[in-house]
Amino acid sequence: MCGEKSGAPSCECPANGGPEFAADPAGSRTVDAAPYPTGVSSPPACRFGRLGDAVAAAAAHGAGAIARAYGTFGVAETSEVLPLSVPTTVRLSGPDAPAAHAVLRLESGTAIGVDLQGAIEGLDVENVSSTGIAVATSCGETGKPSLKDVAVSGAGQLTNGIRVGGACGAVLEGTQVRKAAEAALLVDAAAEAPVEVIGGGFRESGVGLEVRGGRVTLHGPQDAVHQLLVGFTSETLEIDANIGNGIALVGKETPIVLDAARVRVTNNDGTALRMDALPPGSAVSVADSELSGNKATAQGSRYASGRSAGGVIVNQLLPLLSFSGNTVACNGGDQVGIYVVGAVDLAPDACGASSNFFRTRVGAAAVYVSPYATVDASNNYWAPDPPGYIGTGFALGDTCQPATPPPACP
């Protein structure tokens, strides 16, 4: 269309009343020169050439705005200024499926790729040489940050793939993070901050998930009836192949509440789930999950006099603990290490779907109990049965027999 933004009649982009503002590396990177891009999707020349300009235009539009990204962006690719600040009113989104995700690349010197108060969907963050954080959430005046169908590749250099902080919490759905130097997902939030992780995976990093504070819920995207030893589907949340522990709950001053269901924590070099000195007010519930094949070779899998456990470690302080319907099998070292003062209840009311299954490798204990603790482990499945254990405070009680014997450890 014709316009006179340049001071003389010329071809200019049409006005964009929103709510969608498009960015494309092939678009114009100069907003104050012809064709004066407005972020309309067509013609492509009128898309913003920088992703940051699309986000800024969406923020100016207000509630319900979308910054739509097409292609690959970054400091080198499109002269982006990072971090991208996405406010609560904006959703930063890639193209509609089945098109490939848009990509944001991070270079050396980038501390944070995206400062997120709003939403991200269908975006891949690829690290080239940054040692920072791909996505860091923060709190706006209303709402909570959300990530859906986002993938982060840290190249072994990013400190964290995603960091969740503040009091507002966050929602992560179908999020994948791999190859962070430290935690793939770090939750360091206020005590009452609700953080929900639905499906996805956290892999090949220093730690899969590290929690220092907050109320964290982990689960698959749909409810499912637990079937002991049947296996898991693609809807399961996967935490696997990390260099250290799968899930690390790190006690500081802030209470931690973890509610995990249908989570698969496998093949980590450390322990599947480690709880260290959780402060008063902490609570941990794990149900219908698999903790198997973890090697217990990393430093974080040691807990007492050089012993290690690949399944679960409860160390120093005992949280309110619920543990039911889980498979803890074929991990290195002991399957469970209890090194606290107090009574630990691993016993469902009766044999059935709430029973846990424990399979131990030759030469290790199914459960290690410190001299200061007691463990009730009645109404569970064991292989071998009766299990090997260490500690006078261990009460085996009645054991259960599965209808189909589980496979032996590889």
Side-chain angles (χ1 to χ4, degrees), residues 132-135 152 154 158-164 177-188 202-212 242 244-248 250:
I133 298 167
V135 180
V152 176
L158 281 179
T159 301
N160 305 121
I162 299 169
R163 184 188 68 193
V164 177
V177 180
R178 64 194 321 136
K179 295 190 176 181
E182 297 182 14
L185 171 60
L186 172 63
V187 179
D188 192 1
F202 303 94
R203 303 181 170 93
E204 301 172 60
S205 299
V207 175
L209 165 64
E210 181 175 327
V211 183
R212 300 177 184 173
N242 292 289
N245 297 320
I247 301 173
V250 181

PDB file of all heavy atoms in Angstrom, residues 132-135 152 154 158-164 177-188 202-212 242 244-248 250:
ATOM      1  N   GLY A 132      25.107 -19.170  30.207  1.00  0.00           N
ATOM      2  CA  GLY A 132      24.042 -18.618  31.029  1.00  0.00           C
ATOM      3  C   GLY A 132      22.848 -19.544  31.158  1.00  0.00           C
ATOM      4  O   GLY A 132      22.988 -20.756  31.341  1.00  0.00           O
ATOM      5  N   ILE A 133      21.658 -18.979  31.037  1.00  0.00           N
ATOM      6  CA  ILE A 133      20.390 -19.692  31.205  1.00  0.00           C
ATOM      7  C   ILE A 133      19.530 -19.424  29.984  1.00  0.00           C
ATOM      8  O   ILE A 133      19.411 -18.279  29.541  1.00  0.00           O
ATOM      9  CB  ILE A 133      19.666 -19.211  32.479  1.00  0.00           C
ATOM     10  CG1 ILE A 133      20.517 -19.508  33.712  1.00  0.00           C
ATOM     11  CG2 ILE A 133      18.295 -19.869  32.615  1.00  0.00           C
ATOM     12  CD1 ILE A 133      20.042 -18.804  34.961  1.00  0.00           C
ATOM     13  N   ALA A 134      18.912 -20.459  29.439  1.00  0.00           N
ATOM     14  CA  ALA A 134      18.097 -20.273  28.239  1.00  0.00           C
ATOM     15  C   ALA A 134      16.842 -19.478  28.538  1.00  0.00           C
ATOM     16  O   ALA A 134      16.549 -18.474  27.881  1.00  0.00           O
ATOM     17  CB  ALA A 134      17.744 -21.623  27.620  1.00  0.00           C
ATOM     18  N   VAL A 135      16.056 -19.922  29.522  1.00  0.00           N
ATOM     19  CA  VAL A 135      14.805 -19.256  29.887  1.00  0.00           C
ATOM     20  C   VAL A 135      14.760 -19.096  31.399  1.00  0.00           C
ATOM     21  O   VAL A 135      14.882 -20.083  32.137  1.00  0.00           O
ATOM     22  CB  VAL A 135      13.569 -20.042  29.422  1.00  0.00           C
ATOM     23  CG1 VAL A 135      12.284 -19.315  29.827  1.00  0.00           C
ATOM     24  CG2 VAL A 135      13.597 -20.270  27.910  1.00  0.00           C
ATOM     25  N   VAL A 152      15.095 -27.061  24.704  1.00  0.00           N
ATOM     26  CA  VAL A 152      16.345 -26.350  24.972  1.00  0.00           C
ATOM     27  C   VAL A 152      17.498 -27.324  24.818  1.00  0.00           C
ATOM     28  O   VAL A 152      17.491 -28.414  25.402  1.00  0.00           O
ATOM     29  CB  VAL A 152      16.358 -25.754  26.396  1.00  0.00           C
ATOM     30  CG1 VAL A 152      17.712 -25.101  26.680  1.00  0.00           C
ATOM     31  CG2 VAL A 152      15.220 -24.755  26.571  1.00  0.00           C
ATOM     32  N   GLY A 154      21.514 -27.361  25.483  1.00  0.00           N
ATOM     33  CA  GLY A 154      22.512 -26.546  26.163  1.00  0.00           C
ATOM     34  C   GLY A 154      23.938 -26.699  25.690  1.00  0.00           C
ATOM     35  O   GLY A 154      24.821 -25.969  26.148  1.00  0.00           O
ATOM     36  N   LEU A 158      25.434 -24.333  28.862  1.00  0.00           N
ATOM     37  CA  LEU A 158      24.461 -23.558  29.623  1.00  0.00           C
ATOM     38  C   LEU A 158      24.466 -24.001  31.085  1.00  0.00           C
ATOM     39  O   LEU A 158      24.476 -25.201  31.373  1.00  0.00           O
ATOM     40  CB  LEU A 158      23.056 -23.746  29.064  1.00  0.00           C
ATOM     41  CG  LEU A 158      22.664 -22.977  27.805  1.00  0.00           C
ATOM     42  CD1 LEU A 158      21.238 -23.335  27.411  1.00  0.00           C
ATOM     43  CD2 LEU A 158      22.804 -21.477  28.012  1.00  0.00           C
ATOM     44  N   THR A 159      24.434 -23.049  32.001  1.00  0.00           N
ATOM     45  CA  THR A 159      24.349 -23.415  33.412  1.00  0.00           C
ATOM     46  C   THR A 159      23.060 -24.168  33.683  1.00  0.00           C
ATOM     47  O   THR A 159      23.059 -25.254  34.269  1.00  0.00           O
ATOM     48  CB  THR A 159      24.435 -22.167  34.302  1.00  0.00           C
ATOM     49  OG1 THR A 159      25.683 -21.511  34.044  1.00  0.00           O
ATOM     50  CG2 THR A 159      24.355 -22.536  35.772  1.00  0.00           C
ATOM     51  N   ASN A 160      21.939 -23.577  33.292  1.00  0.00           N
ATOM     52  CA  ASN A 160      20.622 -24.219  33.399  1.00  0.00           C
ATOM     53  C   ASN A 160      19.866 -24.031  32.101  1.00  0.00           C
ATOM     54  O   ASN A 160      20.010 -23.000  31.434  1.00  0.00           O
ATOM     55  CB  ASN A 160      19.786 -23.624  34.531  1.00  0.00           C
ATOM     56  CG  ASN A 160      20.463 -23.655  35.883  1.00  0.00           C
ATOM     57  OD1 ASN A 160      20.672 -22.614  36.495  1.00  0.00           O
ATOM     58  ND2 ASN A 160      20.816 -24.831  36.346  1.00  0.00           N
ATOM     59  N   GLY A 161      19.031 -25.006  31.765  1.00  0.00           N
ATOM     60  CA  GLY A 161      18.151 -24.814  30.627  1.00  0.00           C
ATOM     61  C   GLY A 161      17.030 -23.856  30.976  1.00  0.00           C
ATOM     62  O   GLY A 161      16.788 -22.866  30.289  1.00  0.00           O
ATOM     63  N   ILE A 162      16.327 -24.141  32.083  1.00  0.00           N
ATOM     64  CA  ILE A 162      15.215 -23.309  32.547  1.00  0.00           C
ATOM     65  C   ILE A 162      15.376 -23.090  34.041  1.00  0.00           C
ATOM     66  O   ILE A 162      15.657 -24.039  34.785  1.00  0.00           O
ATOM     67  CB  ILE A 162      13.863 -23.979  32.256  1.00  0.00           C
ATOM     68  CG1 ILE A 162      13.692 -24.180  30.750  1.00  0.00           C
ATOM     69  CG2 ILE A 162      12.703 -23.145  32.801  1.00  0.00           C
ATOM     70  CD1 ILE A 162      12.518 -25.057  30.375  1.00  0.00           C
ATOM     71  N   ARG A 163      15.191 -21.836  34.461  1.00  0.00           N
ATOM     72  CA  ARG A 163      15.216 -21.510  35.889  1.00  0.00           C
ATOM     73  C   ARG A 163      13.887 -20.863  36.259  1.00  0.00           C
ATOM     74  O   ARG A 163      13.480 -19.873  35.646  1.00  0.00           O
ATOM     75  CB  ARG A 163      16.354 -20.549  36.221  1.00  0.00           C
ATOM     76  CG  ARG A 163      16.479 -20.265  37.733  1.00  0.00           C
ATOM     77  CD  ARG A 163      17.489 -19.164  38.004  1.00  0.00           C
ATOM     78  NE  ARG A 163      17.006 -17.871  37.514  1.00  0.00           N
ATOM     79  CZ  ARG A 163      17.776 -16.780  37.393  1.00  0.00           C
ATOM     80  NH1 ARG A 163      19.066 -16.854  37.681  1.00  0.00           N
ATOM     81  NH2 ARG A 163      17.262 -15.640  36.959  1.00  0.00           N
ATOM     82  N   VAL A 164      13.220 -21.431  37.260  1.00  0.00           N
ATOM     83  CA  VAL A 164      11.948 -20.893  37.736  1.00  0.00           C
ATOM     84  C   VAL A 164      12.173 -20.269  39.099  1.00  0.00           C
ATOM     85  O   VAL A 164      12.680 -20.919  40.017  1.00  0.00           O
ATOM     86  CB  VAL A 164      10.874 -21.997  37.837  1.00  0.00           C
ATOM     87  CG1 VAL A 164       9.578 -21.429  38.411  1.00  0.00           C
ATOM     88  CG2 VAL A 164      10.619 -22.612  36.457  1.00  0.00           C
ATOM     89  N   VAL A 177      14.579 -30.439  27.878  1.00  0.00           N
ATOM     90  CA  VAL A 177      15.875 -29.796  28.092  1.00  0.00           C
ATOM     91  C   VAL A 177      16.947 -30.870  28.105  1.00  0.00           C
ATOM     92  O   VAL A 177      16.800 -31.886  28.779  1.00  0.00           O
ATOM     93  CB  VAL A 177      15.924 -28.999  29.415  1.00  0.00           C
ATOM     94  CG1 VAL A 177      17.299 -28.353  29.586  1.00  0.00           C
ATOM     95  CG2 VAL A 177      14.832 -27.943  29.455  1.00  0.00           C
ATOM     96  N   ARG A 178      18.019 -30.617  27.383  1.00  0.00           N
ATOM     97  CA  ARG A 178      19.135 -31.561  27.398  1.00  0.00           C
ATOM     98  C   ARG A 178      20.459 -30.802  27.374  1.00  0.00           C
ATOM     99  O   ARG A 178      20.569 -29.687  26.902  1.00  0.00           O
ATOM    100  CB  ARG A 178      19.048 -32.530  26.221  1.00  0.00           C
ATOM    101  CG  ARG A 178      19.171 -31.914  24.861  1.00  0.00           C
ATOM    102  CD  ARG A 178      18.734 -32.852  23.735  1.00  0.00           C
ATOM    103  NE  ARG A 178      19.133 -34.212  23.967  1.00  0.00           N
ATOM    104  CZ  ARG A 178      18.339 -35.274  23.772  1.00  0.00           C
ATOM    105  NH1 ARG A 178      17.100 -35.083  23.335  1.00  0.00           N
ATOM    106  NH2 ARG A 178      18.769 -36.490  23.977  1.00  0.00           N
ATOM    107  N   LYS A 179      21.467 -31.428  27.973  1.00  0.00           N
ATOM    108  CA  LYS A 179      22.850 -30.976  27.935  1.00  0.00           C
ATOM    109  C   LYS A 179      23.062 -29.600  28.560  1.00  0.00           C
ATOM    110  O   LYS A 179      23.718 -28.733  27.988  1.00  0.00           O
ATOM    111  CB  LYS A 179      23.386 -31.027  26.502  1.00  0.00           C
ATOM    112  CG  LYS A 179      23.468 -32.456  25.964  1.00  0.00           C
ATOM    113  CD  LYS A 179      24.220 -32.559  24.662  1.00  0.00           C
ATOM    114  CE  LYS A 179      24.351 -34.021  24.238  1.00  0.00           C
ATOM    115  NZ  LYS A 179      25.089 -34.185  22.985  1.00  0.00           N
ATOM    116  N   ALA A 180      22.521 -29.415  29.774  1.00  0.00           N
ATOM    117  CA  ALA A 180      22.913 -28.274  30.602  1.00  0.00           C
ATOM    118  C   ALA A 180      24.069 -28.703  31.490  1.00  0.00           C
ATOM    119  O   ALA A 180      24.157 -29.860  31.912  1.00  0.00           O
ATOM    120  CB  ALA A 180      21.740 -27.788  31.450  1.00  0.00           C
ATOM    121  N   ALA A 181      24.953 -27.775  31.805  1.00  0.00           N
ATOM    122  CA  ALA A 181      26.114 -28.128  32.632  1.00  0.00           C
ATOM    123  C   ALA A 181      25.704 -28.462  34.057  1.00  0.00           C
ATOM    124  O   ALA A 181      26.286 -29.352  34.682  1.00  0.00           O
ATOM    125  CB  ALA A 181      27.114 -26.975  32.623  1.00  0.00           C
ATOM    126  N   GLU A 182      24.700 -27.757  34.578  1.00  0.00           N
ATOM    127  CA  GLU A 182      24.200 -28.045  35.920  1.00  0.00           C
ATOM    128  C   GLU A 182      22.776 -28.604  35.800  1.00  0.00           C
ATOM    129  O   GLU A 182      22.585 -29.592  35.099  1.00  0.00           O
ATOM    130  CB  GLU A 182      24.307 -26.784  36.788  1.00  0.00           C
ATOM    131  CG  GLU A 182      25.769 -26.344  36.969  1.00  0.00           C
ATOM    132  CD  GLU A 182      25.939 -25.128  37.851  1.00  0.00           C
ATOM    133  OE1 GLU A 182      24.970 -24.748  38.561  1.00  0.00           O
ATOM    134  OE2 GLU A 182      27.040 -24.531  37.834  1.00  0.00           O
ATOM    135  N   ALA A 183      21.783 -28.011  36.445  1.00  0.00           N
ATOM    136  CA  ALA A 183      20.433 -28.574  36.387  1.00  0.00           C
ATOM    137  C   ALA A 183      19.744 -28.212  35.074  1.00  0.00           C
ATOM    138  O   ALA A 183      19.738 -27.052  34.666  1.00  0.00           O
ATOM    139  CB  ALA A 183      19.602 -28.074  37.558  1.00  0.00           C
ATOM    140  N   ALA A 184      19.153 -29.210  34.436  1.00  0.00           N
ATOM    141  CA  ALA A 184      18.347 -28.928  33.247  1.00  0.00           C
ATOM    142  C   ALA A 184      17.192 -28.011  33.609  1.00  0.00           C
ATOM    143  O   ALA A 184      16.919 -27.024  32.926  1.00  0.00           O
ATOM    144  CB  ALA A 184      17.834 -30.231  32.638  1.00  0.00           C
ATOM    145  N   LEU A 185      16.493 -28.323  34.710  1.00  0.00           N
ATOM    146  CA  LEU A 185      15.434 -27.474  35.251  1.00  0.00           C
ATOM    147  C   LEU A 185      15.758 -27.168  36.701  1.00  0.00           C
ATOM    148  O   LEU A 185      15.881 -28.087  37.515  1.00  0.00           O
ATOM    149  CB  LEU A 185      14.075 -28.167  35.150  1.00  0.00           C
ATOM    150  CG  LEU A 185      12.900 -27.491  35.881  1.00  0.00           C
ATOM    151  CD1 LEU A 185      12.668 -26.086  35.351  1.00  0.00           C
ATOM    152  CD2 LEU A 185      11.638 -28.340  35.754  1.00  0.00           C
ATOM    153  N   LEU A 186      15.923 -25.885  37.017  1.00  0.00           N
ATOM    154  CA  LEU A 186      16.179 -25.442  38.390  1.00  0.00           C
ATOM    155  C   LEU A 186      14.952 -24.695  38.886  1.00  0.00           C
ATOM    156  O   LEU A 186      14.525 -23.708  38.276  1.00  0.00           O
ATOM    157  CB  LEU A 186      17.399 -24.525  38.446  1.00  0.00           C
ATOM    158  CG  LEU A 186      17.673 -23.839  39.792  1.00  0.00           C
ATOM    159  CD1 LEU A 186      17.967 -24.851  40.885  1.00  0.00           C
ATOM    160  CD2 LEU A 186      18.818 -22.836  39.663  1.00  0.00           C
ATOM    161  N   VAL A 187      14.368 -25.161  39.990  1.00  0.00           N
ATOM    162  CA  VAL A 187      13.260 -24.466  40.644  1.00  0.00           C
ATOM    163  C   VAL A 187      13.782 -23.900  41.952  1.00  0.00           C
ATOM    164  O   VAL A 187      14.092 -24.653  42.874  1.00  0.00           O
ATOM    165  CB  VAL A 187      12.064 -25.407  40.881  1.00  0.00           C
ATOM    166  CG1 VAL A 187      10.940 -24.645  41.591  1.00  0.00           C
ATOM    167  CG2 VAL A 187      11.566 -25.999  39.572  1.00  0.00           C
ATOM    168  N   ASP A 188      13.886 -22.594  42.006  1.00  0.00           N
ATOM    169  CA  ASP A 188      14.367 -21.896  43.193  1.00  0.00           C
ATOM    170  C   ASP A 188      13.349 -20.802  43.495  1.00  0.00           C
ATOM    171  O   ASP A 188      13.597 -19.617  43.297  1.00  0.00           O
ATOM    172  CB  ASP A 188      15.753 -21.310  42.938  1.00  0.00           C
ATOM    173  CG  ASP A 188      16.436 -20.832  44.222  1.00  0.00           C
ATOM    174  OD1 ASP A 188      15.835 -20.985  45.303  1.00  0.00           O
ATOM    175  OD2 ASP A 188      17.557 -20.307  44.126  1.00  0.00           O
ATOM    176  N   PHE A 202      13.984 -34.184  30.821  1.00  0.00           N
ATOM    177  CA  PHE A 202      15.149 -33.434  31.287  1.00  0.00           C
ATOM    178  C   PHE A 202      16.320 -34.412  31.309  1.00  0.00           C
ATOM    179  O   PHE A 202      16.366 -35.308  32.159  1.00  0.00           O
ATOM    180  CB  PHE A 202      14.852 -32.817  32.657  1.00  0.00           C
ATOM    181  CG  PHE A 202      13.633 -31.931  32.628  1.00  0.00           C
ATOM    182  CD1 PHE A 202      12.384 -32.436  32.966  1.00  0.00           C
ATOM    183  CD2 PHE A 202      13.727 -30.626  32.202  1.00  0.00           C
ATOM    184  CE1 PHE A 202      11.251 -31.647  32.896  1.00  0.00           C
ATOM    185  CE2 PHE A 202      12.602 -29.811  32.122  1.00  0.00           C
ATOM    186  CZ  PHE A 202      11.363 -30.320  32.473  1.00  0.00           C
ATOM    187  N   ARG A 203      17.256 -34.224  30.381  1.00  0.00           N
ATOM    188  CA  ARG A 203      18.215 -35.280  30.073  1.00  0.00           C
ATOM    189  C   ARG A 203      19.638 -34.747  29.904  1.00  0.00           C
ATOM    190  O   ARG A 203      19.859 -33.594  29.595  1.00  0.00           O
ATOM    191  CB  ARG A 203      17.815 -35.966  28.760  1.00  0.00           C
ATOM    192  CG  ARG A 203      16.429 -36.562  28.734  1.00  0.00           C
ATOM    193  CD  ARG A 203      16.151 -37.226  27.397  1.00  0.00           C
ATOM    194  NE  ARG A 203      14.935 -38.003  27.436  1.00  0.00           N
ATOM    195  CZ  ARG A 203      13.734 -37.544  27.084  1.00  0.00           C
ATOM    196  NH1 ARG A 203      13.602 -36.295  26.655  1.00  0.00           N
ATOM    197  NH2 ARG A 203      12.672 -38.316  27.146  1.00  0.00           N
ATOM    198  N   GLU A 204      20.586 -35.686  30.070  1.00  0.00           N
ATOM    199  CA  GLU A 204      21.985 -35.491  29.675  1.00  0.00           C
ATOM    200  C   GLU A 204      22.580 -34.212  30.248  1.00  0.00           C
ATOM    201  O   GLU A 204      23.402 -33.553  29.612  1.00  0.00           O
ATOM    202  CB  GLU A 204      22.099 -35.485  28.152  1.00  0.00           C
ATOM    203  CG  GLU A 204      21.597 -36.756  27.485  1.00  0.00           C
ATOM    204  CD  GLU A 204      21.544 -36.623  25.974  1.00  0.00           C
ATOM    205  OE1 GLU A 204      22.617 -36.386  25.384  1.00  0.00           O
ATOM    206  OE2 GLU A 204      20.453 -36.734  25.394  1.00  0.00           O
ATOM    207  N   SER A 205      22.183 -33.868  31.467  1.00  0.00           N
ATOM    208  CA  SER A 205      22.663 -32.657  32.121  1.00  0.00           C
ATOM    209  C   SER A 205      23.358 -33.013  33.424  1.00  0.00           C
ATOM    210  O   SER A 205      23.443 -34.190  33.796  1.00  0.00           O
ATOM    211  CB  SER A 205      21.485 -31.702  32.364  1.00  0.00           C
ATOM    212  OG  SER A 205      20.880 -31.328  31.140  1.00  0.00           O
ATOM    213  N   GLY A 206      23.850 -31.987  34.131  1.00  0.00           N
ATOM    214  CA  GLY A 206      24.468 -32.264  35.418  1.00  0.00           C
ATOM    215  C   GLY A 206      23.486 -32.903  36.383  1.00  0.00           C
ATOM    216  O   GLY A 206      23.803 -33.875  37.066  1.00  0.00           O
ATOM    217  N   VAL A 207      22.277 -32.371  36.437  1.00  0.00           N
ATOM    218  CA  VAL A 207      21.157 -32.909  37.218  1.00  0.00           C
ATOM    219  C   VAL A 207      19.914 -32.721  36.349  1.00  0.00           C
ATOM    220  O   VAL A 207      19.806 -31.734  35.611  1.00  0.00           O
ATOM    221  CB  VAL A 207      20.987 -32.156  38.557  1.00  0.00           C
ATOM    222  CG1 VAL A 207      19.762 -32.633  39.319  1.00  0.00           C
ATOM    223  CG2 VAL A 207      22.231 -32.310  39.416  1.00  0.00           C
ATOM    224  N   GLY A 208      18.956 -33.647  36.443  1.00  0.00           N
ATOM    225  CA  GLY A 208      17.739 -33.479  35.663  1.00  0.00           C
ATOM    226  C   GLY A 208      16.878 -32.349  36.193  1.00  0.00           C
ATOM    227  O   GLY A 208      16.605 -31.370  35.505  1.00  0.00           O
ATOM    228  N   LEU A 209      16.452 -32.470  37.461  1.00  0.00           N
ATOM    229  CA  LEU A 209      15.633 -31.465  38.129  1.00  0.00           C
ATOM    230  C   LEU A 209      16.215 -31.200  39.502  1.00  0.00           C
ATOM    231  O   LEU A 209      16.412 -32.124  40.290  1.00  0.00           O
ATOM    232  CB  LEU A 209      14.190 -31.971  38.280  1.00  0.00           C
ATOM    233  CG  LEU A 209      13.291 -31.210  39.264  1.00  0.00           C
ATOM    234  CD1 LEU A 209      13.075 -29.771  38.814  1.00  0.00           C
ATOM    235  CD2 LEU A 209      11.962 -31.934  39.446  1.00  0.00           C
ATOM    236  N   GLU A 210      16.493 -29.933  39.796  1.00  0.00           N
ATOM    237  CA  GLU A 210      16.931 -29.530  41.127  1.00  0.00           C
ATOM    238  C   GLU A 210      15.904 -28.564  41.700  1.00  0.00           C
ATOM    239  O   GLU A 210      15.543 -27.579  41.047  1.00  0.00           O
ATOM    240  CB  GLU A 210      18.304 -28.864  41.090  1.00  0.00           C
ATOM    241  CG  GLU A 210      18.825 -28.450  42.466  1.00  0.00           C
ATOM    242  CD  GLU A 210      20.233 -27.912  42.433  1.00  0.00           C
ATOM    243  OE1 GLU A 210      21.031 -28.369  41.597  1.00  0.00           O
ATOM    244  OE2 GLU A 210      20.527 -27.016  43.257  1.00  0.00           O
ATOM    245  N   VAL A 211      15.444 -28.853  42.924  1.00  0.00           N
ATOM    246  CA  VAL A 211      14.459 -28.007  43.590  1.00  0.00           C
ATOM    247  C   VAL A 211      15.075 -27.462  44.868  1.00  0.00           C
ATOM    248  O   VAL A 211      15.533 -28.224  45.722  1.00  0.00           O
ATOM    249  CB  VAL A 211      13.162 -28.778  43.910  1.00  0.00           C
ATOM    250  CG1 VAL A 211      12.140 -27.836  44.541  1.00  0.00           C
ATOM    251  CG2 VAL A 211      12.582 -29.418  42.656  1.00  0.00           C
ATOM    252  N   ARG A 212      15.047 -26.134  45.019  1.00  0.00           N
ATOM    253  CA  ARG A 212      15.546 -25.472  46.222  1.00  0.00           C
ATOM    254  C   ARG A 212      14.432 -24.797  47.011  1.00  0.00           C
ATOM    255  O   ARG A 212      14.665 -24.301  48.113  1.00  0.00           O
ATOM    256  CB  ARG A 212      16.605 -24.428  45.844  1.00  0.00           C
ATOM    257  CG  ARG A 212      17.814 -25.010  45.128  1.00  0.00           C
ATOM    258  CD  ARG A 212      18.775 -23.914  44.711  1.00  0.00           C
ATOM    259  NE  ARG A 212      19.904 -24.440  43.933  1.00  0.00           N
ATOM    260  CZ  ARG A 212      20.813 -23.684  43.334  1.00  0.00           C
ATOM    261  NH1 ARG A 212      20.741 -22.364  43.440  1.00  0.00           N
ATOM    262  NH2 ARG A 212      21.792 -24.241  42.644  1.00  0.00           N
ATOM    263  N   ASN A 242      21.263 -38.374  33.028  1.00  0.00           N
ATOM    264  CA  ASN A 242      21.978 -37.218  33.549  1.00  0.00           C
ATOM    265  C   ASN A 242      23.292 -37.643  34.206  1.00  0.00           C
ATOM    266  O   ASN A 242      23.438 -38.777  34.663  1.00  0.00           O
ATOM    267  CB  ASN A 242      21.093 -36.460  34.536  1.00  0.00           C
ATOM    268  CG  ASN A 242      19.921 -35.797  33.835  1.00  0.00           C
ATOM    269  OD1 ASN A 242      20.097 -34.824  33.115  1.00  0.00           O
ATOM    270  ND2 ASN A 242      18.722 -36.347  34.023  1.00  0.00           N
ATOM    271  N   GLY A 244      24.626 -36.576  36.989  1.00  0.00           N
ATOM    272  CA  GLY A 244      24.468 -36.735  38.429  1.00  0.00           C
ATOM    273  C   GLY A 244      23.122 -37.339  38.771  1.00  0.00           C
ATOM    274  O   GLY A 244      22.685 -38.320  38.157  1.00  0.00           O
ATOM    275  N   ASN A 245      22.439 -36.735  39.733  1.00  0.00           N
ATOM    276  CA  ASN A 245      21.150 -37.261  40.167  1.00  0.00           C
ATOM    277  C   ASN A 245      20.037 -36.915  39.191  1.00  0.00           C
ATOM    278  O   ASN A 245      20.117 -35.929  38.456  1.00  0.00           O
ATOM    279  CB  ASN A 245      20.805 -36.699  41.551  1.00  0.00           C
ATOM    280  CG  ASN A 245      21.802 -37.124  42.607  1.00  0.00           C
ATOM    281  OD1 ASN A 245      22.258 -38.269  42.614  1.00  0.00           O
ATOM    282  ND2 ASN A 245      22.166 -36.211  43.494  1.00  0.00           N
ATOM    283  N   GLY A 246      18.971 -37.730  39.222  1.00  0.00           N
ATOM    284  CA  GLY A 246      17.809 -37.424  38.405  1.00  0.00           C
ATOM    285  C   GLY A 246      17.039 -36.264  38.986  1.00  0.00           C
ATOM    286  O   GLY A 246      16.860 -35.227  38.337  1.00  0.00           O
ATOM    287  N   ILE A 247      16.562 -36.421  40.231  1.00  0.00           N
ATOM    288  CA  ILE A 247      15.846 -35.365  40.955  1.00  0.00           C
ATOM    289  C   ILE A 247      16.587 -35.109  42.256  1.00  0.00           C
ATOM    290  O   ILE A 247      16.811 -36.028  43.048  1.00  0.00           O
ATOM    291  CB  ILE A 247      14.394 -35.771  41.264  1.00  0.00           C
ATOM    292  CG1 ILE A 247      13.630 -36.076  39.966  1.00  0.00           C
ATOM    293  CG2 ILE A 247      13.681 -34.673  42.044  1.00  0.00           C
ATOM    294  CD1 ILE A 247      12.242 -36.642  40.205  1.00  0.00           C
ATOM    295  N   ALA A 248      16.963 -33.856  42.487  1.00  0.00           N
ATOM    296  CA  ALA A 248      17.671 -33.478  43.712  1.00  0.00           C
ATOM    297  C   ALA A 248      16.853 -32.424  44.438  1.00  0.00           C
ATOM    298  O   ALA A 248      16.604 -31.340  43.893  1.00  0.00           O
ATOM    299  CB  ALA A 248      19.059 -32.938  43.391  1.00  0.00           C
ATOM    300  N   VAL A 250      17.079 -30.024  47.422  1.00  0.00           N
ATOM    301  CA  VAL A 250      18.203 -29.468  48.176  1.00  0.00           C
ATOM    302  C   VAL A 250      17.665 -28.586  49.289  1.00  0.00           C
ATOM    303  O   VAL A 250      17.076 -27.524  49.040  1.00  0.00           O
ATOM    304  CB  VAL A 250      19.133 -28.661  47.255  1.00  0.00           C
ATOM    305  CG1 VAL A 250      20.311 -28.106  48.053  1.00  0.00           C
ATOM    306  CG2 VAL A 250      19.630 -29.540  46.105  1.00  0.00           C
TER     307      VAL A 250
END
